[in-house]
Amino acid sequence: MRKPANGLAKTFDLIVVGGGAAGATCAGRLAAQNPTLSIALLEAGPSDRHPLVRVPFGLIWLMGSQRDWAYRTVPQTSLGGRCISVPRGKMLGGSASMNSMVWFRGRADDYDHWGPGWGWDDVRPHFEAVEEQMRPAPLRDPHPLSAALEQVHGGPPTPETVSSGPFIVNIKNGQRRSPVDAFLRGTNVHVLKGQHARKLTLTNGRIQGVETCGGDKIMARAGVVLSAGTIGTPQILMQSGLGPANMLRNTGITLQHDIPGVGANLHDHPAVAVHHERRGSGRGLTFAQLPLWALAPFQWLVSGRGPLASNTVEAGAFLSGKDGVAPQFQVHFVPTRIGYGKRAIGFGAGYYADVCLMQPRSRGSMTLGTDGAVQIDLGLLSNRDDRVKLREGLCALRALLRAAPFGQRSAPEVFPATGDDTAAVDAHIDARLGTAYHPVGTCAIGAVVGHDLAVRGIRGLWVADASVMPRITSANTNAPSIMIGHRAARLITQQIKAK
Ligand SMILES: Cc1cc2nc3c(=O)[nH]c(=O)nc-3n(C[C@H](O)[C@H](O)[C@H](O)COP(=O)(O)OP(=O)(O)OC[C@H]3O[C@@H](n4cnc5c(N)ncnc54)[C@H](O)[C@@H]3O)c2cc1C
């Protein structure tokens, strides 16, 4: 990728906004497929060249740092008005530079819900091409607790069937491998970091370019691809006057084109967790483990191994509900004590696991308030069925942890430790429910963009990121987002060449 020359070039053939999972992939592939075009990638955040990005365990320090947009939802009415944190990567690689590196394509039948041109047979070749570069592989050296999970249902875990064990991850030689490494580095894309896009400029329904928060105007001869993610992309569209007319009227933004679906259909995997703690159990801060942690940086530097090479969420499971058919719940397992309740930081060893609904029915929205600020309403558990299912999921998670042959490392549940009765489970859900950090759907295929990812009613504008998923995939969303970026480059190239 090219460093920008002194003095920002003001005109490119194509501009990609957002250098995250999908954007870095799309920009790199566009450059490879169109060597004569000049392509700029605008990223609001800084570089991904930071030790905490490379070190898999580093993600726990990236969250809440300057490299995190650190959004919060509006009060969630179904959770007693609690606000939930929504971390999103703000750097080259986006959330793919601070995620847990768990690799899943989703389930083949997920793509039946994405409409024509996005079925399993259409997307599979792109997953295959992406995986050739990303090289996901089984986690090296899983903790014995993570390894033991495999003995419950058999692994590696897959959303297609009830299964459990260590995950497949995008880690190479103990280091995070991101789509920036796989697709962007080595191309001639002009990467412009610290460039926060505010809005699009357009004339007579045709996109002219991008205006940044710093007041720069960057022009695009062939068009703009929005890859700013599930929150950032609808925000830019709305700030450009492209969105639901009713909502935009209240913000004072001049309507350019009424697109009712922008910001609608926001959803994520709702997740609820349990914590286990006992001396001699999993990783954590204990006197006995002080040498392990003191040596960890050297061990990682020398061999790429040790606790810092752990992606935190090392293992998990796919579990079915009472009806016992296809899996409905995904479990994430961390063989490390994580703060709980009022004991956020402190000594202790243990493990943590959460369970999420693979296909929630609840839907929320992303809008702008009258002051123009982003309002994220995940609508968590707004559909009652989700709460009923999640209660079932928590019981299934506890059964899994009871069945796991953890031996001497087994530890009692210390939080919430209230049992499976409905009132106790509901109280825990109300107080603690979060998400798996997989927001999708705010510019859905079929509603905002066509099957070619072009924004309906506007010329020279495409969306390529997790916001185009009409329905969430039945597992983690990074690989599907990279697949979208990969496929977008092909679709956009075809459209440009057809002109
Ligand atoms: C903490 C965490 C853990 C996760 N763990 C996993 C996991 O283990 N496995 C998995 O599959 N998925 C995981 N995910 C989810 C996965 O990373 C995302 O689904 C995926 O990265 C979404 O890709 P995207 O391209 O849509 O958005 P992103 O990757 O978030 O990229 C959006 C980019 O756009 C930039 N941007 C936003 N607004 C603007 C603007 N106005 N101007 C310029 N640039 C802008 C952002 O800074 C960012 O770089 C995790 C996410 C988080 C936050």
Side-chain angles (χ1 to χ4, degrees):
M1 62 198 187
R2 252 188 225 175
K3 289 218 162 101
N6 280 346
L8 188 59
K10 296 287 186 192
T11 304
F12 297 91
D13 291 314
L14 277 167
I15 299 174
V16 178
V17 178
T25 307
C26 183
R29 293 299 301 152
L30 279 169
Q33 289 164 20
N34 303 278
T36 57
L37 296 188
S38 61
I39 298 168
L41 175 62
L42 263 58
E43 168 54 46
S47 156
D48 62 341
R49 292 193 187 274
H50 192 284
L52 294 180
V53 176
R54 291 292 127 215
V55 173
F57 204 74
L59 72 99
I60 63 164
W61 295 289
L62 286 173
M63 285 172 72
S65 75
Q66 285 191 333
R67 283 179 158 79
D68 182 359
W69 290 88
Y71 294 111
R72 285 188 77 72
T73 66
V74 299
Q76 296 295 280
T77 36
S78 303
L79 299 174
R82 206 156 46 82
C83 299
I84 311 285
S85 67
V86 183
R88 299 279 88 201
K90 184 180 185 181
M91 66 191 117
L92 213 51
S95 304
S97 285
M98 76 169 203
N99 67 18
S100 305
M101 293 152 275
V102 174
W103 190 268
F104 281 110
R105 296 175 175 183
R107 217 154 55 195
D109 64 4
D110 285 337
Y111 299 91
D112 294 347
H113 301 268
W114 286 28
W118 288 89
W120 179 240
D121 288 341
D122 302 302
V123 301
R124 186 178 47 195
H126 292 276
F127 277 117
E128 287 165 0
V130 161
E131 286 168 3
E132 256 177 50
Q133 302 303 323
M134 290 293 290
R135 296 179 230 143
L139 177 68
R140 199 166 71 169
D141 309 330
H143 188 278
L145 285 166
S146 308
L149 267 190
E150 184 158 2
Q151 290 177 47
V152 184
H153 293 297
T158 160
E160 304 285 354
T161 180
V162 173
S163 49
S164 62
F167 284 142
I168 306 285
V169 293
N170 48 286
I171 297 178
K172 188 157 178 279
N173 299 330
Q175 294 193 30
R176 176 191 297 273
R177 181 158 172 84
S178 89
V180 179
D181 308 316
F183 294 104
L184 194 61
R185 295 210 155 90
T187 67
N188 63 0
V189 173
H190 297 257
V191 177
L192 309 174
K193 294 179 286 256
Q195 293 291 333
H196 189 164
R198 192 167 72 85
K199 63 174 195 167
L200 302 161
T201 50
L202 65 163
T203 313
N204 300 329
R206 176 164 189 99
I207 295 296
Q208 304 296 328
V210 178
E211 198 176 304
T212 70
C213 291
D216 281 321
K217 288 201 171 103
I218 308 170
M219 310 306 285
R221 283 182 281 261
V224 171
V225 185
L226 290 180
S227 297
T230 296
I231 310 300
T233 288
Q235 182 184 7
I236 296 168
L237 285 171
M238 288 171 187
Q239 287 171 175
S240 313
L242 304 171
N246 287 345
M247 189 269 293
L248 287 176
R249 206 167 289 128
N250 300 329
T251 64
I253 296 170
T254 308
L255 181 72
Q256 299 285 349
H257 188 61
D258 181 18
I259 316 179
V262 174
N265 186 46
L266 174 63
H267 56 298
D268 199 337
H269 291 131
V272 66
V274 294
H275 299 249
H276 290 239
E277 187 176 330
R278 190 177 63 77
R279 201 192 303 170
S281 176
R283 293 196 187 105
L285 282 181
T286 64
F287 285 113
Q289 292 191 38
L290 282 182
L292 175 89
W293 291 109
L295 288 174
F298 306 101
Q299 191 183 5
W300 183 80
L301 277 171
V302 171
S303 65
R305 292 177 185 265
L308 295 184
S310 164
N311 64 322
T312 67
V313 185
E314 290 190 3
F318 290 92
L319 305 174
S320 59
K322 282 185 190 140
D323 46 12
V325 282
Q328 297 179 5
F329 310 114
Q330 182 179 6
V331 168
H332 293 98
F333 179 82
V334 181
T336 311
R337 177 202 180 274
I338 295 180
Y340 55 87
K342 293 198 170 125
R343 301 190 57 196
I345 308 168
F347 281 81
Y351 45 93
Y352 157 105
D354 68 42
V355 63
C356 69
L357 289 190
M358 290 159 66
Q359 285 302 332
R361 295 191 174 175
S362 302
R363 294 292 183 269
S365 64
M366 186 280 180
T367 52
L368 297 183
T370 47
D371 58 353
V374 168
Q375 311 253 324
I376 301 170
D377 181 2
L378 283 169
L380 290 169
L381 307 195
S382 52
N383 185 311
R384 284 289 302 172
D385 289 353
D386 285 353
R387 181 181 284 269
V388 173
K389 278 270 153 235
L390 208 56
R391 287 182 197 138
E392 226 183 280
L394 193 64
C395 295
L397 167 64
R398 284 173 162 156
L400 172 83
L401 295 176
R402 277 194 300 271
F406 289 155
Q408 297 283 308
R409 289 190 168 86
S410 180
E413 182 183 312
V414 288
F415 191 80
T418 45
D420 282 343
D421 78 272
T422 304
V425 168
D426 274 350
H428 181 51
I429 288 174
D430 287 342
R432 295 282 154 182
L433 182 96
T435 74
Y437 308 145
H438 299 154
V440 302
T442 48
C443 295
I445 296 172
V448 174
V449 295
H451 299 117
D452 53 5
L453 301 183
V455 175
R456 290 184 160 168
I458 303 292
R459 280 168 294 135
L461 182 61
W462 298 269
V463 176
D465 58 28
S467 72
V468 305
M469 295 187 201
R471 203 182 85 146
I472 199 163
T473 53
S474 298
N476 313 66
T477 46
N478 189 41
S481 304
I482 298 173
M483 177 279 290
I484 288 168
H486 195 273
R487 187 161 157 74
R490 172 84 56 83
L491 293 169
I492 293 166
T493 298
Q494 284 166 356
Q495 290 167 66
I496 293 172
K497 288 194 170 153
K499 288 209 171 124

